[in-house]
Amino acid sequence: MVGNENLKKIEIVKIKMVRERNEKFTVNKVNGPQDGVEIARQFLEEYDRECLIVMALNTKNKVINISVVSVGSLNSSIVHPREVFKTLILSNAASFIIAHNHPSGNSTESREDILITKRLNECAKIMGINLLDHLIIGDGNYTSLKEKGLLE
């Protein structure tokens, strides 16, 4: 028999998502980049710094939820795949769209935008959750990395 002095503590945990709030959107199903842009623009309009969100979608491309993954500085934010996929796994998402704003108003993709998209797409293939698009929101304009052929 093992004495109590030899016992080691191991934490028992439970993981769950907590709903912050509900918001009303004019679109809740994504049929193309413009639908994703409309949702992202409405969500990101309050941010004065670069902010990356993930939209979790079900098998019918309806948005299950939106999660803020990163809030950065005026012209950059740090994104790690584990932060993106944490929400997607807990949501039982079939696919997802990532979107972020460029506070400068210019929606042209940066080298870093392209690199993180490729990295997330590689992870998505492994996880079996499809990355549908990466949208960059500017002032009255947007860039879809899928439309530009930068997402395969």
Side-chain angles (χ1 to χ4, degrees):
M1 182 174 228
V2 177
N4 282 342
E5 66 277 355
N6 293 326
L7 296 177
K8 308 292 184 228
K9 288 184 181 179
I10 297 175
E11 292 183 10
I12 308 300
V13 299
K14 177 178 17 174
I15 299 172
K16 66 179 184 175
M17 278 196 308
V18 177
R19 182 184 318 133
E20 281 186 12
R21 65 185 188 273
N22 287 318
E23 287 191 28
K24 295 190 187 286
F25 291 86
T26 54
V27 175
N28 77 338
K29 184 175 181 182
V30 179
N31 294 312
Q34 193 56 48
D35 294 331
V37 167
E38 191 169 330
I39 294 167
R41 189 177 306 283
Q42 185 177 338
F43 190 88
L44 293 168
E45 67 187 1
E46 67 188 61
Y47 288 91
D48 62 347
R49 293 172 290 157
E50 198 164 293
C51 176
L52 185 125
I53 61 172
V54 60
M55 290 182 243
L57 286 83
N58 67 16
T59 56
K60 297 181 191 264
N61 284 355
K62 286 193 173 183
V63 179
I64 301 168
N65 58 48
I66 299 171
S67 177
V68 174
V69 173
S70 174
V71 177
S73 64
L74 197 55
N75 61 355
S76 70
S77 66
I78 296 171
V79 180
H80 197 281
R82 73 174 159 252
E83 302 306 319
V84 171
F85 285 93
K86 198 182 298 184
T87 299
L88 297 170
I89 291 166
L90 290 172
S91 301
N92 293 319
S95 59
F96 68 105
I97 295 170
I98 56 172
H100 76 279
N101 61 326
H102 279 179
S104 68
N106 181 348
S107 68
T108 304
E109 72 281 0
S110 68
R111 179 177 175 275
E112 291 78 16
D113 292 336
I114 295 167
L115 291 174
I116 192 61
T117 303
K118 288 182 178 186
R119 188 169 182 205
L120 288 172
N121 198 33
E122 289 171 12
C123 294
K125 288 176 183 175
I126 292 167
M127 299 295 293
I129 305 171
N130 297 323
L131 174 56
L132 300 181
D133 209 340
H134 181 170
L135 303 169
I136 303 169
I137 309 300
D139 250 352
N141 54 60
Y142 75 92
T143 297
S144 161
L145 271 61
K146 181 172 180 91
E147 285 181 334
K148 290 193 109 176
L150 297 171
L151 182 62
E152 297 141 19

